[in-house]
Amino acid sequence: MKYAIVPVTPLQQNCTVLWCEETMLGAVVDPGGDVDRIASVVERSGARIERILLTHGHFDHAGGVLDLAERFGVPVDGPHREDEFLLETLREDAAMFGLQARGPVRPDRWLDQGDVVTVGKIEFAVHHCPGHTPGHVVFHHAPSRFALVGDVLFRGSVGRTDLPRGSHETLIRSIRERLLPLGDETGFIPGHGPTSSIGLERLTNPFLQG
């Protein structure tokens, strides 16, 4: 598997373009905006996009979904149905921050704990990790010790829980029960900021101590 991180929008959200080296089939994860920039990365990769994956429904992660899905003619997988209320109000929520997003977004497939998403010959296990949003999901590829965790966990921090239907207690439980068991050697791409690993965060993240 190969991937490229594409920071998009003024919020510098980490959109990820990833692809299976054997089949050259790929996916775009969390296209929050700047669709032309994302499409340029896809073109340079040589991959053929077969789906869009969403970790959760916030506008900075899903604002470019409709444009990108139309451009590539592909389905949208995720997040969990509990984030439907956020995908319904993408345009209005983005406007509150002075930004633009197309919506509403209606995924072709809602995801839940235990589901599997395939990109080429790569299989991602889906983990439902509520707290930042109620329908947040994480994508994990065990063979390469790699995960896309959206806004659940960051290097040295965790996701915000002061937004609608957020819960700090639920978020920490999701991290402890769903992310930490992925193993210390698992590296991850967060929704914003630099990459990290489960082991580094277990040892140094102040929100996970004690």
Side-chain angles (χ1 to χ4, degrees), residues 128-144:
H128 182 210
C129 294
H132 176 64
T133 70
H136 201 301
V137 297
V138 163
F139 301 100
H140 176 227
H141 185 241
S144 60

Side-chain angles (χ1 to χ4, degrees), residues 97-166:
F97 288 82
L99 301 173
Q100 293 183 340
R102 281 187 64 194
V105 168
R106 297 182 177 88
D108 297 274
R109 177 190 178 193
W110 298 106
L111 298 175
D112 205 346
Q113 177 69 24
D115 284 346
V116 173
V117 173
T118 302
V119 180
K121 293 187 176 182
I122 301 167
E123 292 189 346
F124 287 97
V126 176
H127 296 281
H128 182 210
C129 294
H132 176 64
T133 70
H136 201 301
V137 297
V138 163
F139 301 100
H140 176 227
H141 185 241
S144 60
R145 297 170 179 165
F146 170 79
L148 299 131
V149 304
D151 286 359
V152 174
L153 183 64
F154 301 104
R155 181 182 290 188
S157 189
V158 297
R160 291 179 61 175
T161 55
D162 59 337
L163 300 170
R165 295 184 61 186

Side-chain angles (χ1 to χ4, degrees), residues 4-16 29-35 37-38 56 58-62 97 99 150-151 153-155 189-195:
I5 300 173
V6 191
V8 296
T9 81
L11 298 178
Q12 292 294 282
Q13 184 267 319
N14 287 334
C15 170
T16 302
V29 185
D30 287 356
D34 297 333
V35 169
R37 183 187 305 169
I38 298 169
H56 64 292
H58 283 152
F59 70 87
D60 57 324
H61 290 252
F97 288 82
L99 301 173
D151 286 359
L153 183 64
F154 301 104
R155 181 182 290 188
I189 300 175
H192 304 264
T195 60

Side-chain angles (χ1 to χ4, degrees), residues 4 6 19 24 36-47:
V6 191
W19 61 97
M24 292 305 292
D36 288 341
R37 183 187 305 169
I38 298 169
S40 294
V41 172
V42 171
E43 183 177 358
R44 289 196 299 272
S45 75

Side-chain angles (χ1 to χ4, degrees), residues 185-200:
E185 294 183 355
T186 297
F188 66 84
I189 300 175
H192 304 264
T195 60
S196 187
S197 71
I198 297 297
L200 179 63

